[in-house]
Amino acid sequence: MVAKYKDNTYIGKGRVLTVFDPWNNPLCTCPFKYSLHPYTGCSHQCLYCYATSYIRARRSIPKRNFIERLLRDLERADQRVPISMSNSSDPYPPEEREFMLTRRTLEILLPRGYKVLIVTKGALVARDAELLSRGNAAVTMTITTLDENLAKRLEPFAPSPGERLRALRVLVEHGVPVGVRIDPIIPFLNDDEKGIGELVEALASIGVRFIVTSTYKARPDNLKRMKTGFPEIADKLDRLYRVEGSWVKGYWYLPLEFRKKLLKPVIEYARRNGIEYATCREGLTSREWFNAKSCDGTHLIPLRVKPRRRTLLDM
């Protein structure tokens, strides 16, 4: 149960630092890690978002008593396990400018030697570049296209692709390891090989070290939004996913060979530009599709700060 307060924030009875749970998806290749979300909901409102099936499509709301609950949870945390911020609710929504909840979280985790992976579309992450550069931290930024108009339709309240590229440049200049999620690749929208090549080459010029890519997996709620947002391809998406595709652990997947065709340009351009690459929940784990040490970018996290306390396995 979740209780609502007058200031429109929420509190849950459970922990805020939890073990990442891929819902027994046999295609998930993520390493063992923690998941941490300072906010619930997500103000970016991306049409393809899978998380809205369980957190609802609403703006980002800071979790009530989050810092106190985090400090409690850290008492039992194993510092060898990376902390991913965040897998379903962006840690850098517009609201972060006011609440600074992610900033306060980093100020707790990084000096203590915790390993942190930031997963975001928020260009505001550049604000914390200096702090991130002093800790065991890496950043993966999602960029689906360089086409500003398409991005605005797909990700209506997220920073523009240009803003995200500029944020990445700031991070690289501060020595923060960065990767990019070109995810999802959506048929008929951002699957143009020329556009993908231009994006990968732009990332290479900045100093991006790692790319992970994935095809759009449809769920009933996000497929409805995609069809509403892009009525010109609604029938094609419906046929590809619901007729020709297959239902795998709560998602409609495109046929395997079609998925390979969509992902191949990303992999090829990454290879040509000397960037590590991986695929996400595709079942494509051979070196042709996956040559990085992790699919999520946790292998990018440097070890700059020695942990202050023992781990669970040492107790």
Side-chain angles (χ1 to χ4, degrees):
M1 293 293 293
V2 177
K4 187 173 181 180
Y5 288 79
K6 290 181 180 179
D7 60 358
N8 208 32
T9 59
Y10 292 75
I11 183 170
K13 293 183 178 180
R15 297 179 180 272
V16 294
L17 185 68
T18 59
V19 173
F20 173 70
D21 180 8
W23 305 290
N24 296 316
N25 190 316
L27 300 179
C28 181
T29 54
C30 279
F32 186 77
K33 59 185 175 183
Y34 292 123
S35 188
L36 182 64
H37 303 84
Y39 298 88
T40 186
C42 185
S43 293
H44 292 155
Q45 300 290 292
C46 303
L47 300 190
Y48 53 75
C49 181
Y50 71 90
T52 55
S53 62
Y54 61 91
I55 64 172
R56 302 202 312 272
R58 64 187 183 202
R59 68 181 180 84
S60 299
I61 300 170
K63 291 185 177 179
R64 182 82 172 191
N65 298 328
F66 176 79
I67 296 299
E68 292 86 347
R69 295 160 70 190
L70 172 62
L71 290 171
R72 178 201 65 194
D73 290 352
L74 290 178
E75 289 298 314
R76 297 294 294 171
D78 188 330
Q79 287 182 280
R80 289 171 295 185
V81 179
I83 298 173
S84 180
M85 295 174 59
S86 306
N87 297 304
S88 60
S89 179
D90 200 300
Y92 285 98
E95 289 80 4
E96 170 64 12
R97 293 185 184 279
E98 174 186 357
F99 294 107
M100 297 187 68
L101 202 51
T102 294
R103 172 79 185 196
R104 290 166 59 201
T105 300
L106 294 175
E107 289 171 340
I108 291 170
L109 296 176
L110 296 181
R112 289 170 167 83
Y114 286 94
K115 295 184 285 186
V116 177
L117 178 69
I118 300 292
V119 184
T120 186
K121 291 187 182 79
L124 184 58
V125 65
R127 177 201 66 189
D128 296 336
E130 197 275 333
L131 174 60
L132 291 164
S133 72
R134 290 187 276 111
N136 305 334
V139 174
T140 55
M141 177 80 74
T142 298
I143 304 179
T144 51
T145 178
L146 290 180
D147 184 327
E148 302 275 345
N149 292 326
L150 175 58
K152 189 66 176 176
R153 293 177 69 185
L154 276 173
E155 305 153 346
F157 302 110
S160 70
E163 290 174 301
R164 288 179 240 178
L165 289 174
R166 288 190 287 274
L168 286 174
R169 192 177 297 278
V170 171
L171 293 168
V172 171
E173 289 172 351
H174 280 77
V176 180
V178 297
V180 166
R181 300 191 66 93
I182 302 180
D183 171 20
I185 301 293
I186 307 168
F188 317 115
L189 293 182
N190 64 339
D191 60 342
D192 173 66
E193 184 170 345
K194 183 175 182 291
I196 289 172
E198 290 173 351
L199 172 55
V200 174
E201 287 171 0
L203 300 178
S205 70
I206 290 172
V208 169
R209 294 169 44 182
F210 164 73
I211 287 173
V212 59
T213 188
S214 181
T215 57
Y216 166 55
K217 282 87 172 174
R219 297 179 75 118
D221 65 324
N222 68 27
L223 182 58
K224 181 179 179 180
R225 288 195 301 268
M226 289 293 296
K227 289 163 59 178
T228 300
F230 295 90
E232 66 272 23
I233 61 169
D235 290 343
K236 293 180 180 180
L237 288 178
D238 218 38
R239 185 188 74 252
L240 276 175
Y241 282 94
R242 300 183 64 185
V243 178
E244 299 176 15
S246 29
W247 185 255
V248 181
K249 291 290 184 178
Y251 299 85
W252 281 299
Y253 270 66
L254 293 167
L256 177 59
E257 292 306 313
F258 193 8
R259 287 188 279 126
K260 288 181 178 180
K261 179 182 177 181
L262 294 177
L263 298 173
K264 192 70 172 178
V266 182
I267 300 300
E268 286 297 328
Y269 277 104
R271 185 183 292 115
R272 290 181 207 173
N273 285 277
I275 300 175
E276 292 181 306
Y277 54 84
T279 55
C280 176
R281 291 185 301 136
E282 296 288 352
L284 302 172
T285 56
S286 69
R287 190 167 181 83
E288 177 185 3
W289 302 96
F290 198 127
N291 76 348
K293 292 181 181 179
S294 73
C295 64
D296 59 356
T298 49
H299 67 284
L300 299 175
I301 300 173
L303 296 178
R304 293 177 170 137
V305 180
K306 189 174 181 179
R308 286 188 182 178
R309 61 185 293 276
R310 294 178 299 168
T311 62
L312 282 177
L313 297 182
D314 296 324
M315 295 180 180

